[in-house]
Amino acid sequence: MDRVFEQLTEKFAGVFKKLRGKGRLTAEEVDEALRDLRLVLLESDVHYRVVKDLIARVRERAVGREVLESVTPAEMVIKILWDEIRQILGGGAKDLHVPPVTPALFLLVGLQGSGKTTTCGKLGLFLKQRHYFPVLTSTDTRRPAAREQLRILASSAGLDFFDLPSAQHPLEVVQAARRYAREKGRDVVLVDTAGRLHVEEELLQELQRLTQSEEFHEILLVLDATTGQEAVRVAERFREWVHPTGIILTKVDTDARGGAVLSIVAQTGWPVKLIGVGEKLNQLEVFHPERMASRILGMGDTLSLIEKIERAITEEERRKLEQQVTKEEFTLEDFLEELRRLRRVGSFEDIVNMLPTSFRGIFSQVDGERNLKRTEAIILSMTKEERRNPGIINASRKRRIAQGSGTTVQEVNRLLREFEEIRKLWKKMKKGQVLPFARKKGFFGFGF
Ligand code: GDP
Ligand code: MG
């Protein structure tokens, strides 16, 4: 995968050099950088919708982020962008799933020239090296030469090959190959299919019939990385007819435009499972989103930078926490700030699971997100005075707040009760009677 992302990578490197040179950035400068990034991504063949989302998410996360002393805003942006790209690409590595049935059926689909037949051979070797016994077969009933190509590949990799020259339909081949695999104790049948130069309805119909008549455990869409946006369109067409379980991206060693893979994964949600990195049979690799994200950012030291930033964040949040605990009072304003912080850090369920049990009720799991929003609305409908000194909130103020936030007086009452409990806990924390939960996790200011 050496050259695929080079171009993209070079451009990113340029942008970040600019950012790095400046030290601390103003909001305008961050926006300017994001404008640059947007162009870089577009030029690199990332679909504009994907770019738009990516930039919006990076901005949202960057702007809400407090500036840390030991990390420059530019470094922070790198970290956030790295994270987002990695997330789009699937988070962690997704390995191929071989179910414990004999035999498992894997189907390779894609355009002619995308690398299906080669990949079929590579995949056979890949599985063999993991102690499976695959058999290769081809449903290209019309072209004996295509089957011959696979037979040769199979034999050079020391793999079993099955052919049914008399077959008229792909389904006959697959059924016969499955019987063969059962008799011979082969545990995976790798099915290569006929391709066309362009997506044709006839081919797609044939594949649809095949996938409807047989249960394939993996349907792998083989896409040529060098075709850029064309690969995105191919993926979209295939999606209408068959339901791929994943992508194998080929020719990652030769392509200069890297954006397509981001677009395809973002738009289809299909994981990239393997990548082809050369013509040789052993040049197939598991796809690693985090490595790819680092490559895209073009910095060999990205991972150590990320670690440094993560350490710094934990460190600073801990310091801030200590400062806050020495404050005199805990107000509804602090409460609101904490709620917002919670919203930023992760999935709602993760957060709830981190809370001390006594507080989980506040964010009742069932409609947690909604509760958070309503709670926020209530606090926002209070005056500054009321937020700092909730004691003054009498019945008429409660009615006003309920009306302003589109909630009820009961909900306002409940929030005030809950706030009072948290305030009490906070006081205890101050006296050191309870261990602030935050110290364990290093995340939330007051332990919820
Ligand atoms: P099919 O028509 O989809 O079956 O494609 P083939 O398997 O016949 O491959 C078409 C061409 O792409 C062949 O010349 C292969 O050697 C080449 N190819 C396939 N995968 C890769 C890869 O990962 N890297 C490179 N550089 N070439 C590849
Ligand atoms: Mg072929």
Side-chain angles (χ1 to χ4, degrees), residues 290-307:
E290 68 284 353
R291 282 186 213 161
M292 197 59 95
S294 299
R295 275 188 109 87
I296 291 174
L297 292 176
M299 288 166 290
D301 60 347
T302 308
L303 288 175
S304 52
L305 176 74
I306 304 284
E307 276 166 27

Side-chain angles (χ1 to χ4, degrees), residues 30 90 105 107 210 265 295 329 375 395 412:
V30 170
L105 291 181
L107 186 70
L210 185 61
V265 177
R295 275 188 109 87
E329 250 318 332
T375 305
V412 176

Side-chain angles (χ1 to χ4, degrees), residues 301-319:
D301 60 347
T302 308
L303 288 175
S304 52
L305 176 74
I306 304 284
E307 276 166 27
K308 175 196 145 188
I309 295 172
E310 274 167 1
R311 262 202 314 278
I313 293 169
T314 322
E315 203 25 47
E316 294 220 11
E317 297 234 341
R318 192 181 55 73
R319 250 208 333 264

Side-chain angles (χ1 to χ4, degrees), residues 111-118 122 149 251 253 276-279:
L111 290 191
Q112 185 168 341
S114 61
K116 282 183 306 303
T117 305
T118 311
K122 286 178 176 179
Q149 185 195 353
K251 309 184 198 180
D253 53 312
V277 295
E279 297 192 62

